[in-house]
Amino acid sequence: MGPSFDDGTSLYNFVVRDGNGVKGMVDSGLTTVPAAYTQPPRERIDKESARKHEQPPIDLSRLDGPEHDEVAVEIVRAAETLGFFQVINHGVPVDLLESLKDTAHKFFGLQPEQKAVYRSEVSPTPLVKYGTSFVPEKEKALEWKDYISLQYVNDAEALQHWPIEIRDVALEYLRTSIMMVRKLLEVLMLNLGMKLVDPKIDALIDKKMVNMNFYPTCPNPELTVGVRRHSDMGTLTVLLQDRIGGLYVKIEEDMKYGKKGEWVEIPPPPGALVINVGDMLQVLSNKRYKSAEHRVRTTNIASRVSIPIFTIPKLTEKIAPLPHLVEKDRIAHYREFTFVDYMKNFFGNAHEGKKSLDFAKKCRFFLIDSQKIRYS
């Protein structure tokens, strides 16, 4: 007799504890979304009412040429407004992107026990974690997503510990993407007045993580979500979408593509990668750059995948608004903190918009040139 998905404990044990994931639940013949996955109305995504974001991708082949300054302005403007933009001619081979998507589908098509060996409780390495939802033990409604997370230390560690089914293609994706990330970060930090030789730039992308996300076909996509609204905790995120798409971003201030508070869908042009600003850049820039709130819908058309690369600071890195920006603004919107403390807070709570940034907003004061500058 199979598990009862009407019973919360039975469902949790099957999906989370035993490692069957959402896919295992769907493969069992599920015909309706269980109550444990039913999101409150305000969290649901109305696909029909959301407009598509029509901003064309930024052509990165124009960087370091005669049009460099023009492209840099486009990158900065996107980071200051929506916090999301798409890029083409990014240096990651298109055939590699296609191979990534195929590899992700094949991995999640493995037998449950082959994936469950990487559950955090039993994984043979801290570099690999297989799971479902975000932090299911803290969530009132679960997310319709399974994932495998690969932490990068160096090539040798990745080749030794990452699952052999996805190891090579995931590592090549990371290798070919990181130069692009470095260039983008240089553009953004130069705009903030930092020098390109500043060791802070390397420290901000010291750690990397490749995730493969799997969103099984959903019988009632209007009732649940693939990922609840949130912002990313790190510096910059690179995201590969498949042809189905499903990424939605919240507009923080009125712009020509929509009004404040509206959600826009980020369509998946062939060969493009999505770039989004993380919380650390919002803090460092003293709110100039936006770590946009985003979420992911499910679909009843087919199972879909997305593959992000998260770049994050060194765990011991001190993060705070850049002092010269605070002096210019006459206010610091965030306090100083150590990144590892921010990360622990982020992973200790369910997704809830940009609430994770509240960790950095505690009131404090400090002096610049003998003048008290207040934290908001």
Side-chain angles (χ1 to χ4, degrees):
M1 182 177 178
S4 169
F5 299 132
D6 293 327
D7 175 69
T9 301
S10 179
L11 180 147
Y12 187 92
N13 289 341
F14 179 84
V15 174
V16 179
R17 191 195 66 185
D18 298 339
N20 289 288
V22 180
K23 187 177 188 300
M25 189 169 57
V26 172
D27 287 348
S28 72
L30 188 77
T31 57
T32 59
V33 168
Y37 287 88
T38 302
Q39 297 287 337
R42 71 184 183 90
E43 299 292 346
R44 300 174 193 175
I45 300 174
D46 184 355
K47 178 185 176 183
E48 303 306 321
S49 65
R51 71 175 71 187
K52 290 187 183 295
H53 183 57
E54 302 297 343
Q55 178 75 21
I58 297 174
D59 185 349
L60 294 187
S61 68
R62 298 161 58 210
L63 275 178
D64 302 323
E67 298 177 280
H68 176 90
D69 290 348
E70 181 182 334
V71 179
V73 168
E74 293 178 31
I75 294 168
V76 168
R77 185 186 301 122
E80 290 177 338
T81 53
L82 191 62
F84 268 78
F85 54 98
Q86 300 200 73
V87 295
I88 56 173
N89 295 323
H90 36 61
V92 185
V94 174
D95 58 349
L96 174 61
L97 300 181
E98 294 304 312
S99 179
L100 264 169
K101 291 182 279 190
D102 292 342
T103 299
H105 276 287
K106 289 177 182 176
F107 177 81
F108 288 100
L110 295 174
Q111 293 299 310
E113 58 271 19
Q114 293 176 274
K115 296 173 288 186
V117 295
Y118 293 107
R119 288 185 299 113
S120 58
E121 299 86 355
V122 297
S123 179
T125 170
L127 302 183
V128 182
K129 178 185 176 183
Y130 171 75
T132 189
S133 199
F134 181 57
V135 281
E137 66 275 12
K138 297 284 185 75
E139 294 165 344
K140 295 179 180 178
L142 299 173
E143 300 176 348
W144 198 266
K145 177 193 75 174
D146 300 330
Y147 67 89
I148 184 84
S149 180
L150 312 171
Q151 291 189 47
Y152 178 81
V153 176
N154 54 51
D155 285 8
E157 295 271 342
L159 291 170
Q160 180 179 354
H161 296 293
W162 289 6
I164 191 170
E165 298 88 353
I166 57 179
R167 178 189 65 194
D168 295 339
V169 69
L171 188 55
E172 188 63 20
Y173 175 44
L174 179 59
R175 286 170 177 160
T176 52
S177 296
I178 203 63
M179 185 179 297
M180 168 192 63
V181 171
R182 186 64 160 75
K183 284 187 175 182
L184 292 172
L185 188 58
E186 286 178 353
V187 168
L188 293 170
M189 299 309 285
L190 189 63
N191 178 65
L192 298 179
M194 286 187 69
K195 296 179 180 179
L196 298 186
V197 294
D198 195 313
K200 185 85 170 178
I201 293 180
D202 287 320
L204 290 173
I205 54 172
D206 179 73
K207 296 183 70 65
K208 296 97 178 171
M209 184 164 57
V210 181
N211 274 25
M212 289 185 173
N213 300 324
F214 185 73
Y215 307 95
T217 305
C218 180
N220 309 106
E222 72 281 1
L223 296 180
T224 190
V225 296
V227 182
R228 282 172 61 107
R229 52 194 179 86
H230 69 288
S231 58
D232 290 350
M233 69 169 179
T235 303
L236 283 175
T237 300
V238 179
L239 175 70
L240 172 62
Q241 296 196 81
D242 64 12
R243 60 179 178 79
I244 299 174
L247 173 64
Y248 291 77
V249 179
K250 189 176 183 179
I251 298 174
E252 288 203 10
E253 55 187 47
D254 291 350
M255 54 190 298
K256 71 176 183 177
Y257 298 105
K259 295 182 179 181
K260 180 178 180 179
E262 289 184 341
W263 290 87
V264 291
E265 182 175 5
I266 308 296
L273 290 169
V274 177
I275 308 295
N276 72 273
V277 173
D279 290 348
M280 296 306 100
L281 279 186
Q282 178 160 325
V283 172
L284 286 163
S285 69
N286 209 29
K287 278 192 173 181
R288 283 166 173 77
Y289 297 147
K290 306 293 191 299
S291 62
E293 189 174 334
H294 56 287
R295 58 186 181 177
V296 177
R297 66 172 167 84
T298 61
T299 175
N300 56 8
I301 299 172
S303 296
R304 59 175 294 265
V305 295
S306 67
I307 302 127
I309 295 174
F310 300 104
T311 62
I312 63 176
K314 290 193 298 186
L315 296 183
T316 56
E317 188 71 11
K318 298 288 187 181
I319 306 292
L322 296 174
H324 65 276
L325 298 181
V326 173
E327 187 171 14
K328 180 179 180 180
D329 298 342
R330 308 295 295 169
I331 184 173
H333 293 290
Y334 304 100
R335 64 180 178 88
E336 183 182 78
F337 55 86
T338 303
F339 178 71
V340 67
D341 295 328
Y342 190 93
M343 184 174 71
K344 289 176 181 177
N345 178 73
F346 183 85
F347 285 113
N349 296 281
H351 283 145
E352 192 175 346
K354 296 183 70 170
K355 192 173 182 180
S356 56
L357 273 166
D358 290 348
F359 177 83
K361 289 182 180 178
K362 293 177 181 177
C363 294
R364 285 176 60 192
F365 296 85
F366 69 90
L367 299 178
I368 292 182
D369 294 336
S370 300
Q371 296 182 17
K372 183 176 279 190
I373 310 296
R374 77 178 171 88
Y375 278 105
S376 60

